[in-house]
Amino acid sequence: MSVQIRKRGRPRGRAGGAAAEDSGGIRALDRALEILDLIAVSSGLTLSEIAHRLDMAPSTVHRVLVTLAARGVAETDSQTQAWYVGPTAFRHGSAFMRRSGLVERARPLLRRLMEVTGETANLGILNGDAVLFLSQAETHETIRAFFPPGTRSALHASGIGKALLAHTRPSDLKRMIREMTLERFTDMTLTDPQALLEDLARIRARGYSLDNEERTPGMRCIAAPIFDLAGEAAAGISVSGPSLRMSDARLAAMSDAVIEAARELSFGMAPRPEEGERI
């Protein structure tokens, strides 16, 4: 699936770097991370394209990219002059993935879920105002959903995002929806706060969420929350695929499979009982 890149440039005079300095941050570092964020979700961008999208001076972008390249965080194709994330960025991302055993525990369940449903299975967590995808088991079908690890997706227009929102504390949920930009991606996207709240209530009642072509035309996603020891929705698991294959007739069976996988992962987050202890 294609990833929409949101232009993150800021008008001159109120640059994010200045805000970063006001809050104790470092302006140059803020710019570098903004550039890294952009190339991480792109399929290769030239220096001029990066400068244009972020509304930065080409000379500034060049200095940042050269510095990132020296550390292996970014690299360029000498023929196309396009910039990509480098191997050091992968190492940093891998360190994040190792911080929790969730990804390792989820891997066999993602594979099984993909085999049972025939569709791509995904694992994601809340990351600010978006879902961050951590792992995926791709279907063998030619037409399939694709969310590589590190991809972010809007909460209100994704299966995992809505599953997590549905199990957010009411006070936090109202604040989040008030602060969110309910961007319209398709004619099915829920951009009205009240309509979204009503959908979240239905999700809580039935135990799973449905992205019904709300992010990408012709694609559906079924998701369920994974709960931690405190009973909080810590992550979500889903299956995504073309609406023609994920028909209404298959929703019941597929949602049951997703819910069961989420339950197994939630149980896996609980401490294992001592030998001989009754559960």
Side-chain angles (χ1 to χ4, degrees), residues 230-278:
E232 303 284 347
I237 190 169
S238 69
V239 289
S240 306
S243 301
L244 289 176
R245 291 203 303 263
M246 295 183 64
S247 62
D248 289 345
R250 297 191 65 205
L251 284 184
M254 296 181 82
S255 61
D256 285 346
V258 173
I259 290 172
E260 180 58 30
R263 284 175 178 164
E264 287 194 44
L265 279 172
S266 297
F267 178 77
M269 296 181 75
R272 297 188 180 280
E274 297 295 333
E275 186 175 355
E277 182 181 346
R278 298 183 65 181

Side-chain angles (χ1 to χ4, degrees), residues 1 143 186 188 211-221 240-246:
M1 297 179 68
I143 301 176
T186 73
M188 301 296 288
D211 164 10
N212 187 24
E213 303 187 31
E214 294 160 42
R215 180 62 179 84
T216 304
M219 302 297 287
R220 273 181 159 181
C221 176
S240 306
S243 301
L244 289 176
R245 291 203 303 263
M246 295 183 64

Side-chain angles (χ1 to χ4, degrees), residues 26-38:
I26 301 172
R27 183 176 183 180
L29 180 58
D30 183 65
R31 285 177 171 174
L33 292 175
E34 192 167 11
I35 290 172
L36 186 59
D37 281 345
L38 177 60

